Amino acid sequence: MANYVPVPFADLGKPTNDLLGKDFPVGQTKFELKTVAPNGVTFNVLGHQDNKSKAINGELKTKYVDYKNGLTVTEAWTTGNLLTTQIELENKIAKGLKLDITGGFLPSDGKKNAKVGVQYKQLGFNSRAYVDLFKGPIFTSDVVVGRDGFLLGGDIAYNVGDAAITRFAAAAGYTAPEYAVALHANNSFQIFSASYYHRINSDLEAGGKATWDTKAHPASEKAHAKSPVALEVGAKYYLDRDAFVKAKVNNAGVLGLGYTQALRKGVKVSIAGLFDTTKLDQPAHKLGLSFVFEA
């Protein structure tokens, strides 16, 4: 019998994705401010400026959690004037059951969206289902089962209006305290990937991911076509308890470097860059900076 609740389908392979994707704020300058009011309401201000277009976008988000009644209310307002509200009710109707209602409204265009979802998780089982009421409607569902570290999951989307399956995927993986591996078949079995993550010791982490796009044409068949298989490897090393460096490289010759430092409690800064090693003499490189403040 399983003695743990498996992760949702979207989080299969997450350790590798975080290692290769997070803490690389390239091409932009990011700012994040998190504060908590005495009544428990969390305020989160996000902002970022694109280094090329100089466009500035932001979001103000508030979150209220009533732990006693399992209620969470999240509201957000973006600089694009998009208003969203999410209401979650967890473990109130039944243990392991969460209801989720999310709505959005764009006053300038009159566009609106609404999703109703349910998640149910128990030992060895985690499932979710959502209905997008204004698109299709589109029904999406995923499920993951786990036992003894092994994970197996699937995902599907069905357009009720067209009476057609629009997307399906499957994944399998194995998770241990020091490492994790995952295999994915995404985009209706057109894109396949394999990833691994390894915590070598308390200071060093490593991982890699290979992705095969069955629709990509080999360079020998089509000029300027990308390789059908993309390979990326990376590592993270903790310099001390307050700082770490990250590095990654892919088979296209793009090298990513990042450095994150906690200046003091609640203040963190990250600087990163992507460098095309095949075009070192050209302006093909990207730099970025990120500031995070928590209080």
Side-chain angles (χ1 to χ4, degrees):
M1 181 177 178
N3 57 0
Y4 64 95
V5 177
V7 298
F9 182 83
D11 288 342
L12 288 173
K14 187 176 185 296
T16 304
N17 294 333
D18 287 349
L19 178 67
L20 299 177
K22 292 183 67 174
D23 307 306
F24 289 101
V26 294
Q28 60 185 329
T29 300
K30 298 177 65 177
F31 173 87
E32 183 174 358
L33 173 63
K34 301 178 182 179
T35 61
V36 181
N39 62 355
V41 176
T42 301
F43 296 91
N44 195 349
V45 179
L46 301 171
H48 62 88
Q49 180 184 40
D50 186 271
N51 292 347
K52 187 175 181 179
S53 67
K54 304 303 180 182
I56 299 177
N57 295 292
E59 179 185 51
L60 172 62
K61 182 182 293 185
T62 62
K63 185 175 184 178
Y64 170 75
V65 180
D66 183 350
Y67 294 100
K68 181 179 179 180
N69 295 304
L71 177 67
T72 301
V73 180
T74 305
E75 296 181 314
W77 186 19
T78 72
T79 52
N81 205 25
L82 175 64
L83 306 171
T84 59
T85 300
Q86 182 181 27
I87 301 174
E88 300 169 277
L89 186 63
E90 187 170 10
N91 293 325
K92 191 64 176 178
I93 300 175
K95 184 178 180 180
L97 180 67
K98 181 172 75 171
L99 303 179
D100 184 340
I101 300 175
T102 303
F105 179 59
L106 188 62
S108 59
D109 296 335
K111 294 181 179 179
K112 53 187 178 293
N113 64 74
K115 289 184 178 181
V116 179
V118 59
Q119 179 180 16
Y120 183 69
K121 53 186 179 181
Q122 294 291 331
L123 294 179
F125 181 82
N126 194 335
S127 65
R128 301 181 302 178
Y130 292 89
V131 177
D132 192 324
L133 301 178
F134 291 98
K135 293 181 180 178
I138 297 178
F139 171 81
T140 61
S141 178
D142 61 66
V143 60
V144 175
V145 294
R147 183 182 178 90
D148 298 329
F150 290 95
L151 300 168
L152 182 65
D155 169 80
I156 191 170
Y158 180 78
N159 189 314
V160 178
D162 296 338
I165 295 176
T166 59
R167 185 193 73 238
F168 55 88
Y174 179 78
T175 301
E178 298 84 12
Y179 69 94
V181 294
L183 300 172
H184 284 79
N186 293 320
N187 197 25
S188 301
F189 290 1
Q190 294 182 5
I191 298 178
F192 300 85
S193 66
S195 63
Y196 83 95
Y197 166 85
H198 185 194
R199 179 180 290 276
I200 300 172
N201 54 49
S202 59
D203 295 327
L204 182 61
E205 303 171 24
K209 185 175 183 178
T211 303
W212 172 38
D213 186 350
T214 60
K215 297 296 184 179
H217 297 279
S220 59
E221 296 181 8
K222 186 177 180 180
H224 307 295
K226 64 179 182 179
S227 171
V229 178
L231 177 64
E232 187 173 33
V233 295
K236 178 179 181 180
Y237 180 72
Y238 288 88
L239 301 174
D240 53 46
R241 59 181 295 179
D242 296 322
F244 62 84
V245 293
K246 297 181 76 171
K248 63 179 181 178
V249 65
N250 62 27
N251 62 320
V254 178
L255 172 67
L257 300 173
Y259 172 74
T260 298
Q261 173 75 55
L263 302 179
R264 52 174 294 181
K265 184 179 179 180
V267 181
K268 184 176 70 173
V269 60
S270 299
I271 184 171
L274 284 180
F275 308 95
D276 192 335
T277 60
T278 65
K279 302 176 181 178
L280 292 178
D281 58 339
Q282 301 179 29
H285 318 300
K286 296 180 180 180
L287 299 174
L289 191 63
S290 173
F291 298 93
V292 178
F293 300 88
E294 297 184 35

